[in-house]
């Protein structure tokens, strides 16, 4: 009876090949692999999966308690699972149970000893990664005995404590159980750091039992989920990860002439982007990489050498092109897949069905999706993405659509592994995406303290931002779990009564319409109506109205009309028209600017509402403009507000005396600061008005010219902010008008008319018009 412990580096292509070869030579009766033992029954699914994939462990009902164990094709543990499945032998995971890992409150901190760093330093290397590649990854075999001996030397005098002591005690317990089962040959695949703890004289059973006694436990569920190479990189937060998964995948899958094939692939990537890269470039790049490796005493050119060759020869020093190769090849955008036989909650299965129906395949790379909502397939895609966003699964984020029209919609798509965990969280809401989204919307509308649905400018769970310790041999818990990304990144939205705010409820109504959830709309609209009836803050109503107006206008475009929505919109607008005149009194600069943001938003929203009045100004637009007209005539208005309202009414064709109002605002008797604020509000819509209206430009020019030195210094910041917001062509055109000799209000005044020259021009014009000059 023999036990062979194969110490590896997690996600090492050389280790993966060597483990597979050693297992085929040993032909063990059982394979023990570092990982959570609750996943023993899932190991047999490995041949049906497409890596990278990860074991997901989670605690039902606790979204913050989850962890991942990722595997790639070049992971030694993955190759061990494949061998066991093909050989028909059992696999046992021997690490600490996930039930214990997820129950522990302590942080798993990296050990003080860096085994790779210590060994690399002893070998005279200044780069631990380069040492490991030279000793292991670039060899045809992995010297397991030598690695074990080296780890024993590094661990001399080291006494594990805390979680690491419990992990190694549990590994020994699993090993003893396998021996007791009577297996003649046992193979253990684990991080090389743990080899000394599993070989030689083992501690007494009672000592390990004492270490493991009293560990807290929770109820954990495990399954397989797709993973990405981006998440596999060590900087994504997975402590046992690597910085170049795409490179390691290449080393594993292309053992024959890897440098030549890699550089040929890099040339292909650059040619796809329109860069001229010839076969001669590739040949010279290979020579440079091999020359650098020889100068540095390396057995094979590594990632450092091929990257320098790419930079110098293929990219000719262009760092943007180098970054493209890094992103596409060194890291990669591969996304794994799991089969229908993988344990899933019904919500996950329904999403997979919907992805097939809508022909939307999850991808790890960023992808833009343009939709035409007049087409049934595109409309189905839009509804699916909106439903997922409402559930907190931000697979797609809306972006500005290309082209005009309410039937166009554009999305930025990117699948992240944590979305599967979000779906598991929402599994209790329903068995389909539509049912779960509908239930979630109703819960948000009626439950105090609810989290708002992701709407415009708001997303669901964000990608994780957890610490990223350096990778090592079995580092940071060896092949231990990666924390669940981004599950505590949700915001809360308080409001009156502890539920969603009025703006949050209107956003929820819009989301229900976009997601086509008619079952949820009555309750959400009821909650909105009740909240709007008691909310006395006009700014809350103004913040909520735009989303409601969009939903009211574009609901029919999507085929999802909402009965009762129009009544709520008109009621909200009426209350805004009543409350706004009171809210504009005694405003400071900050409050005036904030109020104008709401005014502009409501003005744009009113333009979306259909007129239903009697033609005498009684429709939504008429009521709104009449309200602004009444406010604009009040003498105590803040200059910024008066100027902006004047511009809105002028653009709407409701004012014929804009010039007189500007003249009064900039009269010498008024404070220069107020006049500057008036101009800022008036010109907030753009500077073309000054280009095309000589009188208004003349008024501004005359006012500026009449300011004293001290007054000019006082108003300069406001003026700079106003004119600095104009587009460059607008500023240039205004300057040309002012500099021209005939600019109204300029220093030379208007030029005198040359009657003789004008007569000739007048005669020509009259002839064109068919009239005689009398």
């Amino acid at each position: 009876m023999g036990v062979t412990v194969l110490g590896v580096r997690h996600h090492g292509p050389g280790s993966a090949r060597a483990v597979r070869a050693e297992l085929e030579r040993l032909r063990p009766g059982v394979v023990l692999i570092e990982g959570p033992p609750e996943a023993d029954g899932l190991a047999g699914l490995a041949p049906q999966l497409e890596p990278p994939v990860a074991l997901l462990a989670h605690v039902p009902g606790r979204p913050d308690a989850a962890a991942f164990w990722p595997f790639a094709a070049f992971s030694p543990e993955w190759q061990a699972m494949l061998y066991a499945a093909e050989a028909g032998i059992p696999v046992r995971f021997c690490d600490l149970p996930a039930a214990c890992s997820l129950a522990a409150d302590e942080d798993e901190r990296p050990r003080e000893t860096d085994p790779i760093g210590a060994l690399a330093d002893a070998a005279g290397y200044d780069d631990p990664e380069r040492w490991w590649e030279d000793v292991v990854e670039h060899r045809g075999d992995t010297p397991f005995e030598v690695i074990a001996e080296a780890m024993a030397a590094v661990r001399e005098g080291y006494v594990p404590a805390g979680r690491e002591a419990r992990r190694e005690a549990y590994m020994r317990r699993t090993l003893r159980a396998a021996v007791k089962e009577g297996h003649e040959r046992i193979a253990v695949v684990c991080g090389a750091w743990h080899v000394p703890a599993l070989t030689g004289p083992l501690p007494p059973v009672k000592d390990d039992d004492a270490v493991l006694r009293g560990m807290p436990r929770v109820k954990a569920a495990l399954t397989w989920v797709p993973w990405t190479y981006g998440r596999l990189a060590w900087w994504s937060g997975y402590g046992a990860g690597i910085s170049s998964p795409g490179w390691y995948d290449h080393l594993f899958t292309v053992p024959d002439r890897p440098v030549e094939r890699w550089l040929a692939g890099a040339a292909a990537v650059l040619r796809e982007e329109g860069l001229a890269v010839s076969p001669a470039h590739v040949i010279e790049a290979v020579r440079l990489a091999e020359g650098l490796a020889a100068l540095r005493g390396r057995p094979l050119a590594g990632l450092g050498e091929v990257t320098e060759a790419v930079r110098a020869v293929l990219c000719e020093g262009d760092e943007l092109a180098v970054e493209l190769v890094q992103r596409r090849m060194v890291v990669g955008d591969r996304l794994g897949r799991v089969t229908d036989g993988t344990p899933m909650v019904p919500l996950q299965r329904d999403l997979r069905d919907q992805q097939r129906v809508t022909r939307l395949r999850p991808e790890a790379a960023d992808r833009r999706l343009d939709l035409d909502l007049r087409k049934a397939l595109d409309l189905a895609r839009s509804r699916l993405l909106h439903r997922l966003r409402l559930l907190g699964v931000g697979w797609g984020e809306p972006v500005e659509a290309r082209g005009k029209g309410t039937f166009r919609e554009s999305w930025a798509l990117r699948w992240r592994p944590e979305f599967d965990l979000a779906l598991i969280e929402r599994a209790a809401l329903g068995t389909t995406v539509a049912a779960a989204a509908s239930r979630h919307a109703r819960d948000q509308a009626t439950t105090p303290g609810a989290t708002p649905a992701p709407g415009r400018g708001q997303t669901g769970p964000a990608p994780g931002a957890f610490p990223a310790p350096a990778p090592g041999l079995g580092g940071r818990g060896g092949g231990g779990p990666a924390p669940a990304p981004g599950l505590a990144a949700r915001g809360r939205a308080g409001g009156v009564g502890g539920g969603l705010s009025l703006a949050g409820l209107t956003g929820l109504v819009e989301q229900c319409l976009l997601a086509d959830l008619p079952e949820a709309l009555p309750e959400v609209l009821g909650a909105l109506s009740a909240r709007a009836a008691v909310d006395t803050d006009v700014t809350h109503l103004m913040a909520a109205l735009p989303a409601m107006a969009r939903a009211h206008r574009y609901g029919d475009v999507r085929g999802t009309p909402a009965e009762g929505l129009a009544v709520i919109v008109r009621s909200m607008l009426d209350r805004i028209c009543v409350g706004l005149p009171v809210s504009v009194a005694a405003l400071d600069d900050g409050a005036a600017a904030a109020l104008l943001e709401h005014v502009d938003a409501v003005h744009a929203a009113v333009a979306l509402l259909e007129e239903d009045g009697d033609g005498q100004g009684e429709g939504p637009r008429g009521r709104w403009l009449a309200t602004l007209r009444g406010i604009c005539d009040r003498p105590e208005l803040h200059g910024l507000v008066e100027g902006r309202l004047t511009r809105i009414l002028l653009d709407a064709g409701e004012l014929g005396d804009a010039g007189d109002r500007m003249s009064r605002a900039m009269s010498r008797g008024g404070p220069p600061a107020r006049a500057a604020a008036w101009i800022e509000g008036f010109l907030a819509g753009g500077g073309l008005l000054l280009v095309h209206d000589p009188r208004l430009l003349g008024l501004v020019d005359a006012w500026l010219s009449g300011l004293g030195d001290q007054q000019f210094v006082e108003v300069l910041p406001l003026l700079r902010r106003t004119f600095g917001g104009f587009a460059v062509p607008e500023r240039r055109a205004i300057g040309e008008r002012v500099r021209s000799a005939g600019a109204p209000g300029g220093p030379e005044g208007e030029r005198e008319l040359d009657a003789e020259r004008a007569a000739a021009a007048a005669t020509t014009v009259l002839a064109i018009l068919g009239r005689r000059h009398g």
Side-chain angles (χ1 to χ4, degrees), residues 284-329:
E284 290 303 317
V286 171
R287 289 176 178 171
L288 177 57
E290 292 177 344
L292 290 172
L295 286 173
R296 296 166 180 173
R298 306 196 67 181
L300 181 72
L303 180 59
E305 286 73 32
V306 296
T307 299
E308 291 179 42
V310 167
R311 176 181 289 106
V313 182
L314 302 187
C315 300
E316 299 180 348
D318 185 351
E319 289 299 328
L320 288 178
V322 177
E323 175 61 27
L324 175 65
V325 175
Q326 287 284 119
R327 186 173 64 254
R328 293 270 189 89
M329 297 185 66

Side-chain angles (χ1 to χ4, degrees), residues 122 347 370 375-376 441 463 494 628 670 707 734 750 757:
L347 189 57
D370 295 315
K375 299 177 181 178
L628 298 187
L707 291 177
I734 293 172
E750 293 194 14
R757 296 176 63 190

Side-chain angles (χ1 to χ4, degrees), residues 759-774:
T763 301
T764 302
V765 172
L766 290 173
I768 293 173
L769 297 176
R771 297 174 57 187
R772 289 183 174 274
H773 180 57

Side-chain angles (χ1 to χ4, degrees), residues 120 383 510 515 526 535 591 604 613 700 744:
R383 288 170 174 169
E510 186 177 23
D535 200 319
V700 175

Side-chain angles (χ1 to χ4, degrees), residues 402-535:
R402 294 168 176 160
K404 297 180 179 179
T406 59
F407 55 86
R408 298 187 184 277
E409 195 173 78
S410 294
W411 295 81
L413 301 183
R414 186 181 185 185
W415 184 265
R416 299 189 182 97
E418 62 266 26
F419 293 157
D420 277 291
L421 183 55
L423 290 169
I424 293 173
E425 287 180 50
R426 308 296 192 195
L429 295 173
T431 58
T432 66
V433 174
S438 182
R439 179 71 266 172
H440 188 52
R442 295 199 297 271
D443 290 346
Q444 286 183 306
T446 58
T447 303
T451 302
R456 296 177 183 264
Q458 180 183 357
T459 63
F466 30 84
L473 277 169
R476 194 180 175 275
L487 297 176
R490 295 179 176 84
R492 309 293 290 180
V496 179
L500 290 182
S501 65
L502 184 60
L505 282 170
T506 56
L508 186 58
V509 169
E510 186 177 23
Q511 281 295 100
C512 288
L513 289 169
L514 294 173
D516 188 24
L517 302 176
E519 299 85 1
L521 268 176
E523 288 186 47
V524 177
L525 286 173
L528 172 65
S529 180
R531 177 57 58 89
V534 299
D535 200 319

Side-chain angles (χ1 to χ4, degrees), residues 214-575:
M215 284 192 303
R217 285 178 173 268
V218 293
K219 184 179 180 180
L222 276 78
T223 188
W224 288 107
V225 295
W227 203 249
T228 67
Y229 273 1
R231 288 287 190 214
L232 197 64
W234 66 267
W235 41 260
S236 74
Y238 175 51
I242 53 176
S243 59
S244 51
W247 168 250
Y248 273 16
D249 181 89
H250 177 78
L251 290 180
F252 181 74
T253 56
V254 188
D256 178 47
R257 306 179 73 85
V259 174
E260 292 87 340
R261 295 172 185 264
W262 175 268
L263 291 171
V269 168
L270 295 173
R271 281 195 292 267
E272 288 176 0
E273 296 299 319
L275 300 177
V277 182
S278 68
H281 284 90
V282 177
I283 293 172
E284 290 303 317
V286 171
R287 289 176 178 171
L288 177 57
E290 292 177 344
L292 290 172
L295 286 173
R296 296 166 180 173
R298 306 196 67 181
L300 181 72
L303 180 59
E305 286 73 32
V306 296
T307 299
E308 291 179 42
V310 167
R311 176 181 289 106
V313 182
L314 302 187
C315 300
E316 299 180 348
D318 185 351
E319 289 299 328
L320 288 178
V322 177
E323 175 61 27
L324 175 65
V325 175
Q326 287 284 119
R327 186 173 64 254
R328 293 270 189 89
M329 297 185 66
V330 177
V331 175
D333 53 13
R334 181 172 301 180
L335 173 67
R337 300 189 69 187
V338 299
T339 64
D340 291 337
T342 305
M344 297 181 190
V345 297
L347 189 57
Q348 289 176 291
R349 293 195 180 280
D350 180 67
L351 176 57
R352 288 172 68 90
D353 293 340
Q354 293 299 317
Q355 288 169 340
R356 282 192 285 265
V357 170
T358 59
R359 287 179 276 180
L360 279 179
R361 179 175 177 176
E363 299 176 13
D366 292 327
R367 173 192 171 195
R368 184 183 177 104
L369 179 67
D370 295 315
L371 302 178
D372 183 341
L373 302 180
R374 297 171 298 182
K375 299 177 181 178
L377 178 61
D378 284 0
L379 183 58
R381 289 173 170 177
S382 172
R383 288 170 174 169
L384 175 62
L385 294 172
H386 278 296
R387 289 168 182 173
L388 290 173
R389 289 191 77 240
L390 203 152
L391 287 171
V393 180
W395 177 21
E397 293 298 330
V399 295
E400 185 176 352
R402 294 168 176 160
K404 297 180 179 179
T406 59
F407 55 86
R408 298 187 184 277
E409 195 173 78
S410 294
W411 295 81
L413 301 183
R414 186 181 185 185
W415 184 265
R416 299 189 182 97
E418 62 266 26
F419 293 157
D420 277 291
L421 183 55
L423 290 169
I424 293 173
E425 287 180 50
R426 308 296 192 195
L429 295 173
T431 58
T432 66
V433 174
S438 182
R439 179 71 266 172
H440 188 52
R442 295 199 297 271
D443 290 346
Q444 286 183 306
T446 58
T447 303
T451 302
R456 296 177 183 264
Q458 180 183 357
T459 63
F466 30 84
L473 277 169
R476 194 180 175 275
L487 297 176
R490 295 179 176 84
R492 309 293 290 180
V496 179
L500 290 182
S501 65
L502 184 60
L505 282 170
T506 56
L508 186 58
V509 169
E510 186 177 23
Q511 281 295 100
C512 288
L513 289 169
L514 294 173
D516 188 24
L517 302 176
E519 299 85 1
L521 268 176
E523 288 186 47
V524 177
L525 286 173
L528 172 65
S529 180
R531 177 57 58 89
V534 299
D535 200 319
T536 58
D537 192 329
V538 71
T539 59
H540 290 172
L541 295 168
M542 296 177 76
L545 185 68
M548 296 295 293
R550 288 193 301 267
H552 176 53
R553 173 65 179 272
Y554 300 134
D556 289 336
V557 175
R558 305 178 61 91
T560 54
E563 296 181 4
L565 188 58
V567 176
I568 298 176
V569 171
R570 304 298 166 83
S571 174
M572 291 173 63
L573 181 60
D574 288 343
R575 295 183 60 198

